[in-house]
Every structure is written in structure tokens, then in C-alpha cells.
Amino acid sequence: MMRRLLYDLPLVLMALPLWYACCATPSAGNVTLKDALKDKFHIGVALNEALITGRDTAGVRVLEQQFSAIVAENCMKSMHIHPEENRYDFTLPDQFVALGEKNKMWITGHTLIWHSQLSPWFCVDEEGNNVSPEVLKQRMKAHISTIVGRYKGRIKGWDVVNEAILDNGELRRSKFYEILGEEYLPLAFRYAHEADPQAELYYNDYNEWFPAKRDAIVKLVRSLKEKGVRIDGVGMQGHVDMEYPAIEEYEKSILAFTQAGVKVMITEFDLSILPMPDRNVGAEVSAGFEYREELNPYRNGVPAGRMQEWTNRMGDFFDLFLKHRDKVTRVTMWGITDRDSWKNDFPIHGRTDYPLLFDRDYQPKAAVSRIIKAAEGVGF
Ligand code: 9MR
């Protein structure tokens, strides 16, 4: 017996690491993002048309395996969902919601009131002049109650107002502001609450680590609350790059919003690996810069060292989100694979960027196992 044991021991010792890798601790290869993050926060992703319709079959596979929450990248924006005053197009939004329900995902609606991708008729009359405040209020109410009402009880949270505040803290001079002044903000939240009293309601923006913008959002949250208007959370988009922001600045905003009495969700996360022509870009849609070869250095792939830096920074952000898992309810990536990311064309058209968690062949990047390990390392 003893001899047999001695004989087998080297074999057992050799097999131990193998057993450890596949069975003792769940390795990143077996554990998915949504499993690892289950008790921490929802891990979400924005869906484009190819994913919603199922045309992107490989993408849908990754979606269903890895993610627990979805948001529509474009199809619920006013120019798509409400192209004419008396016509709504719910074709894609209905499929989007059905896909989320089939997979028991947390579904967020994006976005009700936004100056960009705004239906051209929304704020003007037939001659192209601004409508009166009364007319705009009626249009906002009809738009919000029709859309929120249609998905009542099914869409769990709404980005009610998107990007209303500039980086310097001033209110954006949008058509809504021009016609209604700052009153349009509480009105939008009130209309949404009336249409679905159970739904969570969010204010969503980018560059919220700019101190003046951070303060202005805190002020907005407080003023809505003082008026008795429902607001549940602030969405921090998080279109970040390799230089900006500092993790500490991002953290200050998570803390400031929480202290103002709302939840925080990271709503549109992507990390560009490319040089930025200007640090103030964020997701300012009007920004655009001319193409230059030196601003597109990774057309044929990223050197290993640079990729490692990217993985580390992505990991650092998720470490921050995990540290604040009592405040952060959802982290949503702005797309599944690098091939689909809007960052390939923003703020410079025609570059090759690598901002998401899955590569152009739908394979998880090293950052995925880095995030899973970090999630397994923290308690609940
Ligand atoms: O990812 C979206 C892209 O496909 C659209 O062309 C673009 C138009 O503005 O909007 C993108 O999504 C934006 C989101 O709705 C709001 N925050 C900034 C995002 C990136 O522009």
C-alpha cells in the first residue's frame, strides 16, 4: 500500500496544478463576467441594430453568455423612435426589449430628452421657428408618456435627460433650454414618473469628473429632490482614454453623486487606446478633428506592451467600480467588440481603436480575466 502511494505520488503532484486550474478556483475561462459580477453590479452592454435583430449571431452569443443588462445604442433616440410628430417606430425597440426579457436582463431605456439625434420636427413649427413653451411641453409629454408607457414595468430605468450640462458647469443652450429654460429638466422627469411610477429615472452625461460639471450635476440632483421630483441615479458615461481622467477624479464624482442621495451607474464605458487630439472631447458630438497618420498608430495591431497598459488601466477602473459596489448598480460597456465601437470614428473618422472588452474576433481580451479575478477577490 505504502509502496503504491509512493509510486503514485509524483503523478498526483504533477496533476495538482491542472486540477487547481480547472476545478479548485473557477478560472476566467469558465466563469463569465456576469457570473463573477453577479452580487456586485449588473454588467451591461449597448446593443446596435445587428445585435438587436440577431444578425450578428456571434455577438449575440457573447451577449447572452457574458452580460446581464442591456441598453439601446441608438434605436430609442427621438430621431429613430419618433421620426414624425404623429409617427413612432417601435420595430427595433420592441425587439430590443423582447431580447432583454428572454434573457432576464436589466433593461435601460436611452434616451428621452437629448439635444443630439433629436427629431428635426421636435422643437420647431412648419416654418422652422421655435415652437412656444406650451407646445414644447405638450410634445415632450406626448413623447415621454408614449414611449415610457409602452414599456411600463418592462424597462426598469430610463436615461431621462442626456448631456444637459457643459464641462464648465453651465446648462447647454439646447433647443429645450432656449424654449423652456431650465424648467425642461424637472418637467422631463415628472412626465417620465407619471408614465411609469415604478421605473428608475436617471440623469446621464460624460466628462463628469470636470469639477464644475460635477458640482453642477450635484446641484441639479439636489434641486430636483427639493422640488419633490423623482431622480434615482446619475449615469456616468465614461468615454475615457489612456490619459484622462485620473482614477481619483472619477472616484470623486462617484462619491459626490452618492452624497447627493442618488445611485451611480457607469453607463457607456469604453477606453480608447488612441492618442486624443484634445483632452476636453469626452463625447461632445460636435467635436471633430482632421485625420493624421500619427493619430492612428495601431492600424495593424497593438504592441504587447501598450496592450498591457490598456489592460491595466481597464482593470484599475473596474477595481474602482468594485470598491464602490455599494454605490454603483450597473457598469455598461458601449458595445461588445472593438469592430462595432463608435470610437473608431470619433473624434477622428476612420481610425482603428481598441476600446472594448472583446476583440474584433469576438474573443475576450486579457482584461476580461483580470476583471473576473478582481471580482472573485472581493467579498459581497
Ligand atoms: O454610439 C452612438 C453612435 O452610434 C451614434 O452615431 C452617436 C450619435 O451621436 O451616438 C452614440 O452614442 C452616444 C450616446 O447615445 C450618448 N453619449 C455619447 C455616445 C457616443 O456619442
Side-chain angles (χ1 to χ4, degrees), residues 28-238:
N30 305 326
V31 178
T32 63
L33 282 169
K34 74 172 174 191
D35 290 340
L37 293 166
K38 191 167 65 219
D39 304 309
K40 319 296 193 274
F41 41 69
H42 286 296
I43 178 78
V45 68
L47 302 190
N48 60 20
E49 187 187 343
L51 288 161
I52 293 172
T53 57
R55 201 169 67 237
D56 182 357
T57 45
V60 171
R61 242 193 323 274
V62 177
L63 165 72
E64 292 182 340
Q65 279 169 359
Q66 301 281 346
F67 294 94
S68 62
I70 52 172
V71 63
E73 185 175 2
N74 285 305
C75 72
M76 292 185 139
K77 294 171 179 172
S78 69
M79 68 180 276
H80 298 296
I81 202 170
H82 196 176
E84 291 167 42
E85 185 167 7
N86 295 315
R87 186 166 69 87
Y88 289 85
D89 183 351
F90 291 116
T91 320
L92 280 175
D94 282 358
Q95 289 180 59
F96 159 77
V97 173
L99 179 61
E101 286 181 330
K102 182 184 133 213
N103 289 290
K104 299 190 171 48
M105 290 164 167
W106 175 272
I107 308 173
T108 304
H110 173 83
T111 171
L112 297 169
I113 297 295
W114 189 28
H115 67 281
S116 181
Q117 288 176 291
L118 174 66
S119 262
W121 61 269
F122 208 115
C123 298
V124 293
D125 62 20
E126 278 162 10
E127 276 86 52
N129 300 315
N130 282 355
V131 292
S132 67
E134 277 318 305
V135 170
L136 185 56
K137 281 188 208 172
Q138 282 162 17
R139 289 184 179 181
M140 281 175 56
K141 186 168 183 175
H143 177 77
I144 293 174
S145 52
T146 305
I147 299 169
V148 176
R150 184 178 181 89
Y151 300 110
K152 187 174 176 183
R154 301 169 70 198
I155 290 197
K156 305 292 183 200
W158 282 95
D159 291 340
V160 178
V161 176
N162 202 35
E163 301 170 9
I165 295 169
L166 298 171
D167 291 350
N168 66 7
E170 286 172 15
L171 282 175
R172 183 187 291 276
R173 270 39 184 172
S174 66
K175 283 274 181 204
F176 296 102
Y177 180 85
E178 248 176 54
I179 298 170
L180 285 169
E182 47 190 278
E183 194 197 349
Y184 87 89
L185 294 156
L187 278 178
F189 281 87
R190 283 208 163 102
Y191 296 150
H193 183 55
E194 278 164 26
D196 185 353
Q198 304 302 322
E200 292 194 347
L201 306 180
Y202 317 128
Y203 174 75
N204 190 48
D205 214 327
Y206 59 83
N207 278 2
E208 287 163 317
W209 51 87
F210 279 61
K213 193 164 191 167
R214 178 194 294 139
D215 293 348
I217 294 170
V218 166
K219 211 171 119 208
L220 170 65
V221 169
R222 291 196 199 281
S223 93
L224 289 173
K225 284 181 170 285
E226 273 157 25
K227 292 186 179 78
V229 175
R230 176 168 183 167
I231 176 166
D232 297 87
V234 169
M236 299 182 67
Q237 293 185 7

